[in-house]
Amino acid sequence: MDPESVEDVTKKMVEDIKPDFIIYVGPNPAAPGPKKAREILSQSGIPTIIIGDAPGLRVKDEMEQQGLGYIIVKCDPMIGARREFLDPVEMALFNADVIRVVAGTGALRIVQEAIDKVIDAIKEGKEPELPRIVINEEKAVEAMEFTNPYAKVKAMAAFVIAEKVGDVDVKGCFMTKEAEKYIPIVASAHEMLRYAAKLVDEARELEKAMDAVSRKPHSTEGKRLSKKALMEKPQ
Amino acid sequence: MDPESVEDVTKKMVEDIKPDFIIYVGPNPAAPGPKKAREILSQSGIPTIIIGDAPGLRVKDEMEQQGLGYIIVKCDPMIGARREFLDPVEMALFNADVIRVVAGTGALRIVQEAIDKVIDAIKEGKEPELPRIVINEEKAVEAMEFTNPYAKVKAMAAFVIAEKVGDVDVKGCFMTKEAEKYIPIVASAHEMLRYAAKLVDEARELEKAMDAVSRKPHSTEGKRLSKKALMEKPQ
Amino acid sequence: MDPESVEDVTKKMVEDIKPDFIIYVGPNPAAPGPKKAREILSQSGIPTIIIGDAPGLRVKDEMEQQGLGYIIVKCDPMIGARREFLDPVEMALFNADVIRVVAGTGALRIVQEAIDKVIDAIKEGKEPELPRIVINEEKAVEAMEFTNPYAKVKAMAAFVIAEKVGDVDVKGCFMTKEAEKYIPIVASAHEMLRYAAKLVDEARELEKAMDAVSRKPHSTEGKRLSKKALMEKPQ
Amino acid sequence: MDPESVEDVTKKMVEDIKPDFIIYVGPNPAAPGPKKAREILSQSGIPTIIIGDAPGLRVKDEMEQQGLGYIIVKCDPMIGARREFLDPVEMALFNADVIRVVAGTGALRIVQEAIDKVIDAIKEGKEPELPRIVINEEKAVEAMEFTNPYAKVKAMAAFVIAEKVGDVDVKGCFMTKEAEKYIPIVASAHEMLRYAAKLVDEARELEKAMDAVSRKPHSTEGKRLSKKALMEKPQ
Amino acid sequence: MDPESVEDVTKKMVEDIKPDFIIYVGPNPAAPGPKKAREILSQSGIPTIIIGDAPGLRVKDEMEQQGLGYIIVKCDPMIGARREFLDPVEMALFNADVIRVVAGTGALRIVQEAIDKVIDAIKEGKEPELPRIVINEEKAVEAMEFTNPYAKVKAMAAFVIAEKVGDVDVKGCFMTKEAEKYIPIVASAHEMLRYAAKLVDEARELEKAMDAVSRKPHSTEGKRLSKKALMEKPQ
Amino acid sequence: MDPESVEDVTKKMVEDIKPDFIIYVGPNPAAPGPKKAREILSQSGIPTIIIGDAPGLRVKDEMEQQGLGYIIVKCDPMIGARREFLDPVEMALFNADVIRVVAGTGALRIVQEAIDKVIDAIKEGKEPELPRIVINEEKAVEAMEFTNPYAKVKAMAAFVIAEKVGDVDVKGCFMTKEAEKYIPIVASAHEMLRYAAKLVDEARELEKAMDAVSRKPHSTEGKRLSKKALMEKPQ
Ligand SMILES: [Mg+2]
Ligand SMILES: [Mg+2]
Ligand SMILES: [Mg+2]
Ligand SMILES: [Mg+2]
Ligand SMILES: [Mg+2]
Ligand SMILES: [Mg+2]
Ligand SMILES: [Mg+2]
Ligand SMILES: [Mg+2]
């Protein structure tokens, strides 16, 4: 979205809809559109969390000064945004792999916990303490509470590979001109991600081998429950 | 969302935002919320496509009578919506597998084509002909234009397995009471889907073995281009 | 075999050989040949168990009225009996996959137990109580006594996929005329089964990861023994 | 079966049933039971083919002198016939792997061709020329008419591994006394076979990657047809 | 080796053995031991090629000024040299994976070509032109002459992952003190490498699917030949 | 190396360098070159261990009479030394697979232990007792101290397959003349080894599933430590 559209939508959100709190999710929080959005959100006084990818690191301090919360998900890489790969099927498969990595490594669980805390505070009528988190491989796997240590390190490995995918796609999209060069670069990034997703699957299967997959569903009242053995009730 | 929320949002859409056309995506178009939405959308006169999953088959004729377009994606199964599995990580992994199946079998491409046609018509100032499509395995793989016939039949196999996942999840969620019975049923449905996703991956790798992965990115003007050899330009 | 041949063979069995009890195994117990056989077997007074696949469900009650025992194995699907696939290699590979599913899910163990009971009764000079069992995924995995719950649900998933293979092969063999349509349908059914067999293998490997593969060999006296740890003696 | 039972059954076959020709299939044609059977079959004058496994090599010349045809399938290994592994599920899985190897390497096709020739001769009223074949890896893969040379060599590799399984099982069953020693030996033989079966699958998938799986179904008249491309008619 | 041992061995080499040319292979050409060796080799006047890993990049210019040839193999990562992982089995498996990546991506072929050229020059009595090459993923895959473009990009992906392994091991070995932190880091690096090696295998299998594996054996006279189809003679 | 070169190098070693003890590693200790080396080493009086592959079995007694120690590694097969396969990439990949098998089955650990003992003796000023070991599958896996019995039997299976690879390569290299015959034989041997290496990986993953990978690093003082749980310190 161009900056104007972002401005329109964001204003509508803070002026018309006026929600209790806002989660803004999108790539590169440092880009012009998101920058505009952050200004509006900051001035609105509505508690806001910006969820973004690695390029957002550059405006980490700025977001803190703006009074915004943020979660930077380092294992959510930029796609290979070259026309050859902007096929909806290719993009969907890439995103499926990203989701697998973000979810299976535990990064998603940090997001879940952060949002839960804000909701809890608001429910209790308190000012929510906004999260300011850069999710790296160590934090992700800690949140996932792996039982098998090899499951944990495989998830870390997957995280690091996925993070690197972003660098390779940046090289293919912004630092290489000739199609004969950037096509293999971008395609190799997507193959890397495919393998990161496979590693995540292998990690989860190791947890299954120990009947120790961690699951944290919410109770009817919205409390975060927890279970590990498949047949046990969440508590 | 409860029917009232759906009503609010849908009215806002047709009365305030008044877009050129509307794509409504969600599970079970036959449920009370979506039913309400369909009524409002039908009366709005704005060209609308309902994209839904298998339970939508029951209101296929009704949607046609309402003047709505529809696309029923049979390989998009209901998740195992039992508390034990409503863990965000589990749900995200399930959805990653669904995306892989919907994209890799070609179902997504039918959606892409249908929306492209409506956009083209609107751009040319014509009344768009609304799609009325039930995506089954044959139609999906035809749209994907596989080169290797085994890639095609593996994609069909994945589609059928994914479709069956929905039946098993319905059994686990609505037809079985005891946790000790529904937990294995739902868990087995999720394992089925994981394998459907693997089959899709195997199908795509077969296409790679022939350097014949079909990609259909849009040109700058929004025209749908096409390519098969990795190194060739989309045309 | 045509009904006459079946009649010949079955008569020879009940009139000449006159065994203590009879196990009749074959596809579709409802078809003309098997129907004839069932009549002869029923009238012979020799205790008989019919082992068949899903189409046998239609004559379940009839078999009970005939005083026959039966075991319907729902995960034993019809092959894709189109000329293109009636290659001995293709058929053998299909059957290898079926065997893997029937054995690894536990369906075979139900058959083993049922026959063991009849033999025990006859040995003791008692009238055997004939089994009347429809093997579905729940009964199969219960008989297999899985230790790892994910091994169990993967076996259930494999069972359900194999069962569905039969539906797809019926569609390809009896409901579709054109070769260009039925070939992909049948081929996709065989790919589905290949993946069901893979899932069974994955389930067994999970049991190995816990050193908990259930094995039930017979003792020299024909008693069914049991063991789980690889290095332990059957008991 | 003990020699007396074999004698009974074989006599019934040659004296009562008197078929046009006989195929005798079983392990170790050199053992006492099969030896007895071979004598009866030899004297009966009915054209007979003995199909057996590697131990049959010892009586190869004897069978020729007896006027019997034979096919020795070297990739059909003895099972690990120790009580610990005489679990029906284990045995069925072992046999599923054997079938996969025998079929997928092409060994089965040699059997198919040999029997077809005998049938053809008998149909034409001629004395059938009986096959005398020892199937090794080279002959097997030649019969399978692989297109991809790596598919062929993978099948050869699988054949050789399967053949070696027999040696290891002989060691575990006849040359090792202590359970703590023979259990791992037999278990390792079964793991070897599992991988031989996997290799066969990999070989077939390579042929699929080239759309070149060879299939040889019979025509309605019993003529052996042939096809390679999935979508083509057998000819 | 400590610098003194290196000095001893290197002096023995240049003063006693005095070969026609020297290939010095080892990790980190910038470290004290290799630095000493480079000085001696540089002064010896014997044509020398230093083959090293990524840390060697720091002394690239220095080596050129010393008149030394060099080949920096960026996909040859440092091992996780923490006591917990200095088990000979772990190290051997790590190195097996490194070899797979160095060989299968084509990096090894660049080394082969460079050494061949030096040998050719010396044979012809010419002063050899020493190679000065930093092997990155593009150069590696170019040397490997892949036929299938996906094989090529998978090899590139493997190269980049392997390169990243070095960074993670540096972090685990030199930048992290506590065992509870560095163990997972190092273990994750080794898992990354295991997957890089798998990707290389997948790449080679794709070439097999096209019967296009490039092989470059030497003729009896030491000429580098070339072949692609498995059954063809090298030429 | 030709016998003369071996003689030169070995003499230099025993006369000039005069180490405390010698480890001689190379293929076929029975060949002319190694035979010459063994004579020199035997006469030198320096404690020597010959590490070799299966053909060394022929000179086992001879080595004992020569006062030499030896370790015969039966799972270290001869490569397919036909020109078509003497491509450096192919050879490196073959060796990577060999390393994986030698290391992962435990064979390497026997070598490690044997050398450690000699070093310990020499350090203590004692005459070292030289090892005389033929490493077969049972000894290898015992040294590896597997926890999961299936990991152990998979390693045994891999060992036996790798051992068989040598036989097949001997057949392809020395007993077959025509390229059209030996190429598939050698290629099949390399495929067998690739699967042996895969099996070793599967074995190690099973140990990971139990968090029981055995690692035996040395302490700073050179003592052999041991650990199984990933996070524990070696002791
Ligand atoms: Mg993104
Ligand atoms: Mg859904
Ligand atoms: Mg059947
Ligand atoms: Mg059922
Ligand atoms: Mg057998
Ligand atoms: Mg290194
Ligand atoms: Mg690079
Ligand atoms: Mg060697």
Side-chain angles (χ1 to χ4, degrees), chain C residues 83-84 87-88 90 92 97 100 109 112 191 194 201 204-205 208 215-218 220 233, chain D residues 83-84 87-88 90 97 100 109 112 191 194 201 204-205 208 215-218 220 233:
Chain C
R83 184 168 320 286
E84 284 81 1
D87 163 53
E90 177 89 19
D97 284 340
R100 185 166 281 288
R109 187 161 283 172
Q112 174 191 8
E191 293 290 339
R194 182 170 158 261
D201 184 69
R204 198 165 177 87
E205 291 299 306
K208 290 182 188 171
R215 290 187 177 88
K216 306 220 165 180
H218 294 95
T220 331
K233 284 228 152 283
Chain D
R83 184 168 320 287
E84 285 80 0
D87 162 52
E90 177 88 19
D97 284 341
R100 184 167 282 288
R109 187 161 285 173
Q112 174 191 6
E191 293 290 339
R194 182 171 159 262
D201 185 69
R204 197 165 177 88
E205 290 300 306
K208 290 182 188 170
R215 291 188 176 89
K216 305 220 166 180
H218 294 93
T220 330
K233 284 229 152 280

Side-chain angles (χ1 to χ4, degrees), chain A residues 94-130:
Chain A
F94 182 90
N95 284 326
D97 284 340
V98 171
I99 293 170
R100 185 166 280 288
V101 173
V102 171
T105 58
L108 181 64
R109 188 161 283 171
I110 294 178
V111 176
Q112 175 192 6
E113 287 175 24
I115 295 174
D116 275 359
K117 274 190 199 158
V118 171
I119 293 175
D120 287 350
I122 287 173
K123 272 186 179 171
E124 296 173 25
K126 293 184 194 159
E127 178 81 1
E129 207 175 332
L130 294 173

